[in-house]
Amino acid sequence: MENKLTRSLYAVPYLLWIILFVVAPILLVLYYSFFNIEGQLSLSNYEKFFTPVYLKMIFSSFWYAFLITAISLAVAYPAAYLLTKTTHKQLWLLLIITPSWINLLLKAYAFLGIFGTYGAANNFLEMVGIGSKQILFTDFSFVFVSVYIFIPFMILPIFNSLNDLNPTLLDAANDLGASRWTTFRRVIFPLTIDGVKSGCQVVFIPALSLFMLTRLIAGNRVITLGTAIEQHFLVTEDWGMGSMISVFLMITMVLIMMLTGSRKRGA
Amino acid sequence: MYDFKGFTLDWYKELFQDTRLLIIVLNTIVVALLAALISTMIGVLGALAIHMARKRNTKNALLSLNNVLIVSPDVIIGASFLILFTMAGIKLGFYSVLLSHIAFCIPIVVLMVLPKLSEMSPSLIDAARDLGASGWDVFSKVIIPYISPGIFAGFFMALTYSFDDFAVTFFVTGNGFSTLSVEIYSLARRGISLHINALSALLFLFTMLLVVVYYFISKRNKPNGMGVGK
């Protein structure tokens, strides 16, 4: 018995971590979501959540996340496809992945300079004769920068599944008289759908919870769920409502993961 | 600042004369190193615990709990840790930042070490036991040397994550304490300045350095590679 006890003693710090930093925070967020701003136990947060103000915010947050995911997918799929055709696949992939190692803040900050009134983008517009425009602090800049940030995360899973595709299947489709479009629609896309799904998953959830970009790039014009949480926790100090939105975000996350999860689970 | 005149190192000079900023840089490095070190220790033990779990269900449950912090959005991690520290009465500052960095680095280390453990043939342990090694000997002379590539990779990953983190830190850092990314954020909200440009360049170089070190470690130890994933 004692042997067994000492044998499992090494797992104590890790289990403590699970209890303190994984389970406890989730329970605390749940617990706090039942308190209103005066600190009384109530369901008012849940009532408030279904008022038009919040519903509109949630809708716009989902809309932006959808837009970001769709545009990243539209860019990433062809890019990943071309990547698999190049000779130095791994090198190109590395080059595309490298930006994802750089701090998000630095990338956002770089765009502040590029999109600024006297930045490179406006200089270019000036040069082609369109004239300078307000680019920063618009919806366009927000979506553009987010797409730029998320594209590597979209390319990676799609690239992996395209790379695993057996080329003989394409030959077979060709032999059987399928056009290139049919081959893509009936063979390539269905076989890489898992990559597309996990790509969408790793883009959509973070896109819902962005908060730093909305402040720096979108100039508070766009409010995502993440921005709302940050606002409630750090600015208005209405922790109950913030927790409520966190709970909502967590539920959404689980739903999306179940929706996009592949069948090969439990590894 | 938009009238470009030429190249200069003035802004770097100014950067290095700003003691407040230097203290922040120092804070960031201390937090990252400590967080990486401690999370590596706990993470290795955790990977062992998951690896040794007999029942399949226990293993899967531990793995899912392990991955919770990896998949949750930073905002939620930050907000829930803020509640946690406030409830536990931990003053926001150095310790709260350090604790939360340790917390979100542990699952990454576990995921880096776990493949190495499952790659290890169990007969190695049996052989060591047969030759009379004690439990501690098996751990320190067989398991640890075998999984050390995973441990190093995990350590550098943790270092990079901790160094790069903004969202979680932003929530749990109090008034007096600040790390580099939080500082850049608050400066950037006021607009562009050459001061931050210099700081960003340094941060960028440092991250790249970490990535290159990490890349070579994983390259040297994993000929069958895990790809360029994170």
Side-chain angles (χ1 to χ4, degrees):
Chain A
M1 196 62 211
E2 195 187 303
N3 187 27
K4 202 173 171 190
L5 200 76
T6 47
R7 273 185 56 140
S8 46
L9 210 62
Y10 69 91
V12 167
Y14 183 68
L15 294 178
L16 263 180
W17 167 77
I18 285 190
I19 294 167
L20 280 179
F21 289 102
V22 180
V23 181
I26 296 176
L27 293 180
L28 278 175
V29 166
L30 253 178
Y31 174 74
Y32 260 88
S33 71
F34 292 107
F35 283 92
N36 64 13
I37 193 160
E38 276 95 37
Q40 287 147 342
L41 206 63
S42 78
L43 282 174
S44 64
N45 292 327
Y46 287 80
E47 284 160 21
K48 230 183 349 185
F49 192 69
F50 290 102
T51 53
V53 184
Y54 280 97
L55 287 180
K56 217 179 118 208
M57 184 271 290
I58 290 158
F59 178 76
S60 83
S61 179
F62 271 87
W63 170 243
Y64 280 111
F66 170 76
L67 216 61
I68 292 165
T69 316
I71 298 175
S72 324
L73 181 63
V75 178
Y77 203 101
Y81 187 75
L82 288 178
L83 266 182
T84 54
K85 301 285 171 220
T86 52
T87 29
H88 299 286
K89 283 186 222 179
Q90 294 302 334
L91 181 70
W92 284 110
L93 192 65
L94 190 71
L95 283 179
I96 286 185
I97 300 303
T98 311
S100 70
W101 289 100
I102 298 162
N103 198 320
L104 188 66
L105 263 169
L106 294 192
K107 288 185 277 191
Y109 178 69
F111 274 101
L112 278 183
I114 293 173
F115 282 161
T117 324
Y118 305 103
N122 268 327
N123 281 348
F124 175 77
L125 287 180
E126 201 78 70
M127 216 169 67
V128 285
I130 298 175
S132 77
K133 287 235 161 41
Q134 172 73 25
I135 306 177
L136 205 62
F137 309 136
T138 59
D139 296 359
F140 165 78
S141 63
F142 173 64
V143 174
F144 186 91
V145 176
S146 316
V147 167
Y148 162 76
I149 282 166
F150 287 128
I151 274 181
F153 300 104
M154 190 63 112
I155 287 186
L156 198 63
I158 297 179
F159 173 83
N160 284 336
S161 56
L162 275 172
N163 210 21
D164 288 343
L165 196 69
N166 191 343
T168 52
L169 289 173
L170 302 186
D171 294 339
N174 243 337
D175 275 355
L176 295 167
S179 68
R180 293 187 71 167
W181 170 241
T182 321
T183 319
F184 174 75
R185 198 167 51 93
R186 304 288 290 271
V187 182
I188 301 178
F189 192 72
L191 283 173
T192 52
I193 192 81
D194 273 345
V196 173
K197 275 179 175 173
S198 51
C200 289
Q201 185 186 321
V202 293
V203 171
F204 195 81
I205 299 170
L208 272 181
S209 52
L210 281 173
F211 77 93
M212 181 261 288
L213 279 185
T214 55
R215 295 233 186 274
L216 285 184
I217 302 287
N220 290 341
R221 289 166 54 93
V222 178
I223 296 187
T224 59
L225 290 178
T227 321
I229 295 173
E230 189 248 8
Q231 181 88 14
H232 280 299
F233 268 95
L234 298 179
V235 183
T236 60
E237 304 231 331
D238 183 358
W239 287 16
M241 200 58 215
S243 304
M244 166 66 232
I245 302 172
S246 309
V247 171
F248 176 75
L249 185 54
M250 279 195 271
I251 295 172
T252 320
M253 188 181 87
V254 173
L255 283 180
I256 290 170
M257 282 167 75
M258 283 193 323
L259 221 81
T260 55
S262 52
R263 269 146 288 152
K264 42 179 189 200
R265 271 181 168 254
Chain B
M1 70 148 277
Y2 285 101
D3 35 308
F4 179 76
K5 289 210 181 68
F7 296 99
T8 168
L9 283 175
D10 285 355
W11 300 103
Y12 287 95
K13 215 191 291 163
E14 192 188 287
L15 204 63
F16 283 109
Q17 278 158 359
D18 188 343
T19 23
R20 199 182 87 86
L21 209 60
L22 282 184
I23 289 172
I24 290 173
V25 172
L26 216 61
N27 281 341
T28 316
I29 294 173
V30 168
V31 166
L33 280 175
L34 278 177
L37 199 68
I38 299 172
S39 63
T40 308
M41 289 193 286
I42 302 179
V44 169
L45 294 178
L48 271 174
I50 294 178
H51 183 70
M52 299 286 187
R54 293 241 165 68
K55 287 190 203 116
R56 214 187 153 71
N57 283 339
T58 331
K59 206 175 213 168
N60 282 339
L62 281 176
L63 262 179
S64 334
L65 282 173
N66 185 61
N67 293 350
V68 166
L69 285 191
I70 293 184
V71 295
S72 338
D74 292 347
V75 197
I76 294 185
I77 301 179
S80 60
F81 282 2
L82 176 63
I83 298 182
L84 182 78
F85 291 135
T86 319
M87 288 281 272
I90 295 171
K91 217 171 127 265
L92 296 184
F94 175 75
Y95 289 104
S96 63
V97 173
L98 180 63
L99 277 175
S100 45
H101 278 221
I102 294 172
F104 71 72
C105 285
I106 287 175
I108 300 158
V109 177
V110 170
L111 287 189
M112 294 313 250
V113 174
L114 215 48
K116 276 277 147 199
L117 272 176
S118 39
E119 206 177 83
M120 188 174 70
S121 151
S123 54
L124 280 179
I125 296 175
D126 294 340
R129 287 257 176 212
D130 267 359
L131 295 168
S134 66
W136 172 249
D137 280 341
V138 172
F139 178 71
S140 63
K141 295 203 174 122
V142 180
I143 298 179
I144 292 292
Y146 192 89
I147 60 171
S148 60
I151 297 178
F152 279 116
F155 178 79
F156 276 98
M157 268 298 228
L159 207 58
T160 330
Y161 265 74
S162 164
F163 199 74
D164 255 3
D165 177 72
F166 162 69
V168 178
T169 317
F170 186 61
F171 272 89
V172 295
T173 171
N175 276 330
F177 189 78
S178 171
T179 66
L180 214 42
S181 27
V182 174
E183 183 67 15
I184 291 181
Y185 176 72
S186 52
L187 287 175
R189 287 197 74 173
R190 282 184 239 145
I192 299 257
S193 87
L194 293 172
H195 204 72
I196 332 176
N197 287 358
L199 188 59
S200 306
L202 288 182
L203 194 58
F204 170 71
L205 286 178
F206 190 76
T207 321
M208 277 298 130
L209 189 76
L210 280 183
V211 172
V212 169
V213 170
Y214 167 76
Y215 181 73
F216 279 110
I217 285 177
S218 57
K219 183 110 178 165
R220 200 185 57 201
N221 296 311
K222 269 182 288 190
N224 51 342
M226 300 199 333
V228 213
K230 344 190 334 177

